[in-house]
Amino acid sequence: MGSLDTNPMAFSALPNDKAAFEPLNPEDVRAYLHKAVDFISDYYTNVESMPVLPNVKPGYLQDELSASPTSEAMLVTLVAARDAALRRSGSVGVADLPRLTVYAADQTHSTFFKACRLAGFDPANIRSIPTGSETDYGLDPTKLLEIMQADTDAGLVPTYVCATVGTTSSNAVDPVGAVADVAALFNVWVHVDAAYAGSACICPEFRHHLDGVERVDSISMSPHKWLLTCLDCTCLYVRDAHRLSDSLETNPEYLKNDATDSGEVTDLKDMQVGVGRRFRGLKLWMVMRTYGTAKLQEHIRSDVAMAKMFEDFVRADDRFEVVVPRNFALVCFRIKATGAMTEEDADEANRVLMENLNKTGKAYLAHTVVGDRFVLRFAVGSSLQEERHVRSAWDLIKKTTSSIMD
Amino acid sequence: MGSLDTNPMAFSALPNDKAAFEPLNPEDVRAYLHKAVDFISDYYTNVESMPVLPNVKPGYLQDELSASPTSEAMLVTLVAARDAALRRSGSVGVADLPRLTVYAADQTHSTFFKACRLAGFDPANIRSIPTGSETDYGLDPTKLLEIMQADTDAGLVPTYVCATVGTTSSNAVDPVGAVADVAALFNVWVHVDAAYAGSACICPEFRHHLDGVERVDSISMSPHKWLLTCLDCTCLYVRDAHRLSDSLETNPEYLKNDATDSGEVTDLKDMQVGVGRRFRGLKLWMVMRTYGTAKLQEHIRSDVAMAKMFEDFVRADDRFEVVVPRNFALVCFRIKATGAMTEEDADEANRVLMENLNKTGKAYLAHTVVGDRFVLRFAVGSSLQEERHVRSAWDLIKKTTSSIMD
C-alpha cells in the first residue's frame, strides 16, 4: 500500500505562504480531493496484495484525542461523576440517585440539561443558575457557592458543575478558576465546555479565558465549530481516564484481544457510549499538519478582527447598541430603544430587521434572548468569509434598518 | 448551483447489468468519486452566487430515517421507556428509578448493558437472561415471563426488553413476536436490535425473523454493518416518536424557528442525544438509489451463499463441527474434541488455529465463547469478498489445522 507523504514539511506547503490565508481555496480543495480519490481507488485496486492485518504495533498511532459530539462528552463525564458520587455516598445501587444535584449557568447549552436527564438525574435537582449583565452573563461563583451549600444543608449531594467558555447564546465566559475553587469544597466534578471558544485558545491572547483549567476534571472543545474541521469532531480531555472506564467499561468475549488485555493500548470504547467509532482524530490531525499553528492562529485572529470591525460599525451607529461585550467572533447587538420607542417596540423592530434581512438571501442572522431582550447575533466563522462580506452585510443591515425605521 | 442528476434511472445505470454485481468495483469508485470532487469544488467556486438560504420549503427532503449509532438508539429508547414508566408509577422525579428493571438475553450486545447503566438503571436490576443450545442461544420467552412475573411480585417495575435479531456473537435470533406477547402483559417497551441482520430482511426469505415486529415499540438496524453503507449509519424506527421527544425535547431561544414552531418539520434534535447531526440518511439514500432493491438483495444473497458454502465445507470435514446453526452469513465452527481430546484440548487447539491463521496475514478470524466453548467465527460481509476468497480461506484453515493436529 502506498501512503500519503509523511514528511511534515510536505503538509505545510500551501501554495504561497505570503498571500492571505485562504483555507478553502477552491482550486486547492479540488487538487487535494482528486489526489485523495486516487489514493482511495488505488487502495481498492491493490487490496488483494496487502496483508489482512497491518504490519504495525497496536497503538503506534497514538491517539491522544477522544473525539465525539459535545453532548456525548457531557453525558459520559456526567455518568462518571454520578457513579463516583454514588460510591462516595455509600449508595446501594442507584438508591441515592434522587439526592444528586448538578449545576450550570442559565446560559449553558441546552444539551447539558438534556444530558443530565439522560443520565437519570432528577429534573428537580438540575440547577440552572440565573446570570445577568453584572457578570456579562457569566456564572457568578458566589451564587454557585450559596446554592451548593443550601443543597448540602438539605441533605442533597452536589455532583457536577458545567462551566462554559464561550456560550452559544452570547459567548459569555464562566470564570473557570473560581468555579473550580467552589466545586473543590464539595468534591464536585467540574467540566468545562469550550466547544466553540476552545479553538480561540490556540492563540496566547485568548488563553486567559481558561485560567484555572488545571484544577478541573474534564474539558471538551469542538474543532468542527471553529478550527476548519468537518462536522463532527469533539475533543474530550479527562484528568483521570479511569473515572470514565469505571462506568463505561464492557468486556464481551468477541472483543477480547491481547493488545487491550496487556494494557498496550487504551480501548476508547470504554470511554464512550458506543463500541465502534469513526477515526475523527485523523481529520483534525490532517488540519493541523496541513495548516500548522501559525496559519490556524491567523484564521482565528482574522475572524476576531472581522468581528471587531463589525462591532466598531455597530458602536459608531447610534441606532444600535452592543448588548454583551464581544469576547470572540460573535457580536450581540440590537436596534436600541430611543425616543418614544419602548424596549418592546425595539424587540419587535429587531425581529422585523432579522426577518427582512434573512429574506434577502444575502446574509443570515440568528437571534437570542439575553436579559429578556431580543438580540441579534452576527457571527464570523465561515471558512470562506472575508472582510468584504462583513462590510456588505453591515451595509445591508443599515439599509434594511432604515427601511423599517422610516 | 448545479445538482447531481436526479433522474431515478440515472442512478441504477451500473456499467453492465448482466455482469456479476461488484459493489466496490475500483474503477467505478474512482469515476464516481472524481465526479463528486468536481461537484464539491464547483460548489465552493460558485458559492458567492448562491443565496444564503436555499429556496426550498423546510422538510422538502422528507427524512424518514433517524440515523445514529445503535448505542444511541438503545439509549434514547431506554430513556423514553424509563420516563414513561416513572410517570405511570406516579414517581416523584426519579424517586422510583431504583425499582425499574430491564431485560435481555445474555447474548445481547454489550452496548445494551452499558446503555442501561448510562440511563441510570440500577445495575442490580439489569437482567441478563441465560440462553443455551436448546433455543440456539435465542431468548426463551417462558424464562422471560417467569423473571418479569417474579420482579413484579417483588414490587419492581419491568420497563424495557431488548430482543436481538442476529446477535454479534453467533447470529442468534430472539423470537420477536413471543417476546412482544410477554412484554405486553407488563406494559414493557420492546426494542428490537437488528443492527446486523436487519439488512438481510430486505430479502423476503429472511423476513420471518422479524415476525411480530408490528407489536414492538422500536427497532434499529445499521446499514453500515451489511448494506454497503459507510460507518456510521443506524436507522431507528419508533412506533410513537412523541415518546422520544417527551424525554428529549429542548427549546433554547437560539434554536427557535418558524418551521419547527408550526410543526411543519420534525426536529430530529428532539429524538437524539446531541443537537447537531451529520446527514447520515443521505449516504444510505445514495446506496439505495445507486444499486436498487434487486442489486442489494443480490449482495445479501451472495454473501449468505458464500457462508453456506463455507458451512458445507466445515460439515464435510470430520475434524470440525458447526456449533450454532447458521442463520445469515456468519459460520460459528470449531475443531471438535475427538478421540482422546477433551473439550479443553479442543478449546486450546482452536485458539492456536486462530492465532496461526491470523499471523499469515491472508485471512482473519475472530472468536467468541458459546456454551462455555471457544468458537471460531467465519463472517462473510466485506464488499469485495468473492467465492474464491472463501475457498482459499478454507484451504488455509485446513492446512493450518493439519499442521497443528499432527
PDB file of all heavy atoms in Angstrom, chain A residues 109-129:
ATOM      1  N   HIS A 109     -25.470  25.592  27.310  1.00  0.00           N
ATOM      2  CA  HIS A 109     -26.153  24.999  26.158  1.00  0.00           C
ATOM      3  C   HIS A 109     -27.210  23.996  26.613  1.00  0.00           C
ATOM      4  O   HIS A 109     -26.980  23.232  27.553  1.00  0.00           O
ATOM      5  CB  HIS A 109     -25.123  24.312  25.258  1.00  0.00           C
ATOM      6  CG  HIS A 109     -25.653  24.032  23.891  1.00  0.00           C
ATOM      7  ND1 HIS A 109     -26.496  22.986  23.625  1.00  0.00           N
ATOM      8  CD2 HIS A 109     -25.504  24.695  22.730  1.00  0.00           C
ATOM      9  CE1 HIS A 109     -26.819  23.000  22.345  1.00  0.00           C
ATOM     10  NE2 HIS A 109     -26.231  24.026  21.776  1.00  0.00           N
ATOM     11  N   SER A 110     -28.322  23.971  25.913  1.00  0.00           N
ATOM     12  CA  SER A 110     -29.441  23.098  26.274  1.00  0.00           C
ATOM     13  C   SER A 110     -29.040  21.631  26.314  1.00  0.00           C
ATOM     14  O   SER A 110     -29.646  20.819  27.009  1.00  0.00           O
ATOM     15  CB  SER A 110     -30.579  23.277  25.266  1.00  0.00           C
ATOM     16  OG  SER A 110     -30.128  22.959  23.963  1.00  0.00           O
ATOM     17  N   THR A 111     -27.993  21.295  25.566  1.00  0.00           N
ATOM     18  CA  THR A 111     -27.583  19.891  25.513  1.00  0.00           C
ATOM     19  C   THR A 111     -27.110  19.406  26.893  1.00  0.00           C
ATOM     20  O   THR A 111     -27.214  18.218  27.211  1.00  0.00           O
ATOM     21  CB  THR A 111     -26.496  19.706  24.423  1.00  0.00           C
ATOM     22  OG1 THR A 111     -26.536  18.397  23.917  1.00  0.00           O
ATOM     23  CG2 THR A 111     -25.111  20.012  24.943  1.00  0.00           C
ATOM     24  N   PHE A 112     -26.618  20.327  27.719  1.00  0.00           N
ATOM     25  CA  PHE A 112     -26.223  19.949  29.084  1.00  0.00           C
ATOM     26  C   PHE A 112     -27.430  19.496  29.893  1.00  0.00           C
ATOM     27  O   PHE A 112     -27.407  18.444  30.544  1.00  0.00           O
ATOM     28  CB  PHE A 112     -25.531  21.110  29.798  1.00  0.00           C
ATOM     29  CG  PHE A 112     -25.352  20.859  31.273  1.00  0.00           C
ATOM     30  CD1 PHE A 112     -24.428  19.932  31.731  1.00  0.00           C
ATOM     31  CD2 PHE A 112     -26.137  21.521  32.210  1.00  0.00           C
ATOM     32  CE1 PHE A 112     -24.283  19.677  33.088  1.00  0.00           C
ATOM     33  CE2 PHE A 112     -25.998  21.282  33.564  1.00  0.00           C
ATOM     34  CZ  PHE A 112     -25.075  20.355  34.003  1.00  0.00           C
ATOM     35  N   PHE A 113     -28.502  20.268  29.833  1.00  0.00           N
ATOM     36  CA  PHE A 113     -29.681  19.937  30.630  1.00  0.00           C
ATOM     37  C   PHE A 113     -30.312  18.630  30.129  1.00  0.00           C
ATOM     38  O   PHE A 113     -30.825  17.832  30.902  1.00  0.00           O
ATOM     39  CB  PHE A 113     -30.665  21.112  30.613  1.00  0.00           C
ATOM     40  CG  PHE A 113     -30.051  22.368  31.192  1.00  0.00           C
ATOM     41  CD1 PHE A 113     -29.588  23.391  30.377  1.00  0.00           C
ATOM     42  CD2 PHE A 113     -29.868  22.493  32.569  1.00  0.00           C
ATOM     43  CE1 PHE A 113     -28.983  24.524  30.915  1.00  0.00           C
ATOM     44  CE2 PHE A 113     -29.260  23.622  33.122  1.00  0.00           C
ATOM     45  CZ  PHE A 113     -28.812  24.641  32.292  1.00  0.00           C
ATOM     46  N   LYS A 114     -30.232  18.429  28.818  1.00  0.00           N
ATOM     47  CA  LYS A 114     -30.727  17.156  28.264  1.00  0.00           C
ATOM     48  C   LYS A 114     -29.855  15.982  28.734  1.00  0.00           C
ATOM     49  O   LYS A 114     -30.373  14.932  29.138  1.00  0.00           O
ATOM     50  CB  LYS A 114     -30.726  17.208  26.733  1.00  0.00           C
ATOM     51  CG  LYS A 114     -31.309  15.960  26.106  1.00  0.00           C
ATOM     52  CD  LYS A 114     -31.023  15.839  24.616  1.00  0.00           C
ATOM     53  CE  LYS A 114     -31.944  16.701  23.791  1.00  0.00           C
ATOM     54  NZ  LYS A 114     -31.893  16.311  22.348  1.00  0.00           N
ATOM     55  N   ALA A 115     -28.537  16.168  28.702  1.00  0.00           N
ATOM     56  CA  ALA A 115     -27.622  15.082  29.111  1.00  0.00           C
ATOM     57  C   ALA A 115     -27.862  14.702  30.576  1.00  0.00           C
ATOM     58  O   ALA A 115     -27.790  13.527  30.942  1.00  0.00           O
ATOM     59  CB  ALA A 115     -26.169  15.498  28.885  1.00  0.00           C
ATOM     60  N   CYS A 116     -28.181  15.696  31.413  1.00  0.00           N
ATOM     61  CA  CYS A 116     -28.473  15.404  32.829  1.00  0.00           C
ATOM     62  C   CYS A 116     -29.689  14.494  32.934  1.00  0.00           C
ATOM     63  O   CYS A 116     -29.717  13.555  33.730  1.00  0.00           O
ATOM     64  CB  CYS A 116     -28.748  16.688  33.600  1.00  0.00           C
ATOM     65  SG  CYS A 116     -27.299  17.740  33.758  1.00  0.00           S
ATOM     66  N   ARG A 117     -30.718  14.785  32.120  1.00  0.00           N
ATOM     67  CA  ARG A 117     -31.929  13.961  32.173  1.00  0.00           C
ATOM     68  C   ARG A 117     -31.639  12.563  31.649  1.00  0.00           C
ATOM     69  O   ARG A 117     -32.110  11.553  32.189  1.00  0.00           O
ATOM     70  CB  ARG A 117     -33.054  14.636  31.387  1.00  0.00           C
ATOM     71  CG  ARG A 117     -33.441  15.959  32.058  1.00  0.00           C
ATOM     72  CD  ARG A 117     -34.687  16.667  31.514  1.00  0.00           C
ATOM     73  NE  ARG A 117     -35.086  16.383  30.171  1.00  0.00           N
ATOM     74  CZ  ARG A 117     -35.184  17.310  29.191  1.00  0.00           C
ATOM     75  NH1 ARG A 117     -34.892  18.583  29.423  1.00  0.00           N
ATOM     76  NH2 ARG A 117     -35.580  16.964  28.000  1.00  0.00           N
ATOM     77  N   LEU A 118     -30.827  12.483  30.569  1.00  0.00           N
ATOM     78  CA  LEU A 118     -30.466  11.165  30.028  1.00  0.00           C
ATOM     79  C   LEU A 118     -29.776  10.312  31.098  1.00  0.00           C
ATOM     80  O   LEU A 118     -30.029   9.120  31.204  1.00  0.00           O
ATOM     81  CB  LEU A 118     -29.528  11.311  28.829  1.00  0.00           C
ATOM     82  CG  LEU A 118     -30.142  11.848  27.541  1.00  0.00           C
ATOM     83  CD1 LEU A 118     -29.048  12.176  26.538  1.00  0.00           C
ATOM     84  CD2 LEU A 118     -31.104  10.830  26.929  1.00  0.00           C
ATOM     85  N   ALA A 119     -28.917  10.955  31.889  1.00  0.00           N
ATOM     86  CA  ALA A 119     -28.134  10.215  32.888  1.00  0.00           C
ATOM     87  C   ALA A 119     -28.951   9.897  34.126  1.00  0.00           C
ATOM     88  O   ALA A 119     -28.431   9.285  35.058  1.00  0.00           O
ATOM     89  CB  ALA A 119     -26.884  11.006  33.258  1.00  0.00           C
ATOM     90  N   GLY A 120     -30.211  10.300  34.151  1.00  0.00           N
ATOM     91  CA  GLY A 120     -31.097   9.900  35.245  1.00  0.00           C
ATOM     92  C   GLY A 120     -31.136  10.858  36.430  1.00  0.00           C
ATOM     93  O   GLY A 120     -31.741  10.524  37.459  1.00  0.00           O
ATOM     94  N   PHE A 121     -30.500  12.032  36.295  1.00  0.00           N
ATOM     95  CA  PHE A 121     -30.610  12.999  37.400  1.00  0.00           C
ATOM     96  C   PHE A 121     -32.061  13.460  37.510  1.00  0.00           C
ATOM     97  O   PHE A 121     -32.763  13.566  36.504  1.00  0.00           O
ATOM     98  CB  PHE A 121     -29.684  14.199  37.164  1.00  0.00           C
ATOM     99  CG  PHE A 121     -28.233  13.865  37.340  1.00  0.00           C
ATOM    100  CD1 PHE A 121     -27.449  13.487  36.251  1.00  0.00           C
ATOM    101  CD2 PHE A 121     -27.649  13.889  38.605  1.00  0.00           C
ATOM    102  CE1 PHE A 121     -26.111  13.155  36.416  1.00  0.00           C
ATOM    103  CE2 PHE A 121     -26.317  13.555  38.784  1.00  0.00           C
ATOM    104  CZ  PHE A 121     -25.544  13.183  37.686  1.00  0.00           C
ATOM    105  N   ASP A 122     -32.485  13.727  38.732  1.00  0.00           N
ATOM    106  CA  ASP A 122     -33.853  14.179  38.945  1.00  0.00           C
ATOM    107  C   ASP A 122     -34.014  15.584  38.348  1.00  0.00           C
ATOM    108  O   ASP A 122     -33.226  16.475  38.670  1.00  0.00           O
ATOM    109  CB  ASP A 122     -34.151  14.215  40.442  1.00  0.00           C
ATOM    110  CG  ASP A 122     -35.643  14.273  40.703  1.00  0.00           C
ATOM    111  OD1 ASP A 122     -36.320  15.167  40.153  1.00  0.00           O
ATOM    112  OD2 ASP A 122     -36.135  13.413  41.438  1.00  0.00           O
ATOM    113  N   PRO A 123     -35.014  15.782  37.488  1.00  0.00           N
ATOM    114  CA  PRO A 123     -35.186  17.115  36.889  1.00  0.00           C
ATOM    115  C   PRO A 123     -35.231  18.226  37.945  1.00  0.00           C
ATOM    116  O   PRO A 123     -34.762  19.338  37.702  1.00  0.00           O
ATOM    117  CB  PRO A 123     -36.520  16.985  36.144  1.00  0.00           C
ATOM    118  CG  PRO A 123     -36.621  15.529  35.816  1.00  0.00           C
ATOM    119  CD  PRO A 123     -35.962  14.798  36.957  1.00  0.00           C
ATOM    120  N   ALA A 124     -35.749  17.890  39.132  1.00  0.00           N
ATOM    121  CA  ALA A 124     -35.835  18.909  40.188  1.00  0.00           C
ATOM    122  C   ALA A 124     -34.467  19.236  40.782  1.00  0.00           C
ATOM    123  O   ALA A 124     -34.314  20.230  41.496  1.00  0.00           O
ATOM    124  CB  ALA A 124     -36.769  18.428  41.296  1.00  0.00           C
ATOM    125  N   ASN A 125     -33.463  18.421  40.482  1.00  0.00           N
ATOM    126  CA  ASN A 125     -32.123  18.633  41.053  1.00  0.00           C
ATOM    127  C   ASN A 125     -31.136  19.210  40.042  1.00  0.00           C
ATOM    128  O   ASN A 125     -29.926  19.172  40.260  1.00  0.00           O
ATOM    129  CB  ASN A 125     -31.552  17.309  41.584  1.00  0.00           C
ATOM    130  CG  ASN A 125     -32.304  16.806  42.793  1.00  0.00           C
ATOM    131  OD1 ASN A 125     -33.175  17.514  43.307  1.00  0.00           O
ATOM    132  ND2 ASN A 125     -31.971  15.612  43.247  1.00  0.00           N
ATOM    133  N   ILE A 126     -31.654  19.661  38.904  1.00  0.00           N
ATOM    134  CA  ILE A 126     -30.784  20.242  37.890  1.00  0.00           C
ATOM    135  C   ILE A 126     -30.880  21.759  38.045  1.00  0.00           C
ATOM    136  O   ILE A 126     -31.899  22.364  37.714  1.00  0.00           O
ATOM    137  CB  ILE A 126     -31.211  19.787  36.470  1.00  0.00           C
ATOM    138  CG1 ILE A 126     -31.183  18.254  36.382  1.00  0.00           C
ATOM    139  CG2 ILE A 126     -30.311  20.417  35.420  1.00  0.00           C
ATOM    140  CD1 ILE A 126     -31.783  17.677  35.098  1.00  0.00           C
ATOM    141  N   ARG A 127     -29.831  22.362  38.596  1.00  0.00           N
ATOM    142  CA  ARG A 127     -29.869  23.789  38.940  1.00  0.00           C
ATOM    143  C   ARG A 127     -29.402  24.644  37.760  1.00  0.00           C
ATOM    144  O   ARG A 127     -28.248  24.541  37.342  1.00  0.00           O
ATOM    145  CB  ARG A 127     -28.961  24.079  40.135  1.00  0.00           C
ATOM    146  CG  ARG A 127     -29.173  23.161  41.318  1.00  0.00           C
ATOM    147  CD  ARG A 127     -30.145  23.734  42.321  1.00  0.00           C
ATOM    148  NE  ARG A 127     -30.397  22.762  43.367  1.00  0.00           N
ATOM    149  CZ  ARG A 127     -31.501  21.998  43.420  1.00  0.00           C
ATOM    150  NH1 ARG A 127     -32.450  22.117  42.497  1.00  0.00           N
ATOM    151  NH2 ARG A 127     -31.668  21.143  44.401  1.00  0.00           N
ATOM    152  N   SER A 128     -30.281  25.494  37.276  1.00  0.00           N
ATOM    153  CA  SER A 128     -29.930  26.462  36.242  1.00  0.00           C
ATOM    154  C   SER A 128     -29.782  27.808  36.943  1.00  0.00           C
ATOM    155  O   SER A 128     -30.763  28.409  37.367  1.00  0.00           O
ATOM    156  CB  SER A 128     -31.056  26.499  35.202  1.00  0.00           C
ATOM    157  OG  SER A 128     -30.847  27.544  34.297  1.00  0.00           O
ATOM    158  N   ILE A 129     -28.545  28.255  37.092  1.00  0.00           N
ATOM    159  CA  ILE A 129     -28.267  29.422  37.944  1.00  0.00           C
ATOM    160  C   ILE A 129     -28.401  30.712  37.142  1.00  0.00           C
ATOM    161  O   ILE A 129     -27.727  30.882  36.118  1.00  0.00           O
ATOM    162  CB  ILE A 129     -26.845  29.284  38.546  1.00  0.00           C
ATOM    163  CG1 ILE A 129     -26.787  27.975  39.365  1.00  0.00           C
ATOM    164  CG2 ILE A 129     -26.500  30.486  39.413  1.00  0.00           C
ATOM    165  CD1 ILE A 129     -25.415  27.594  39.820  1.00  0.00           C
TER     166      ILE A 129
END
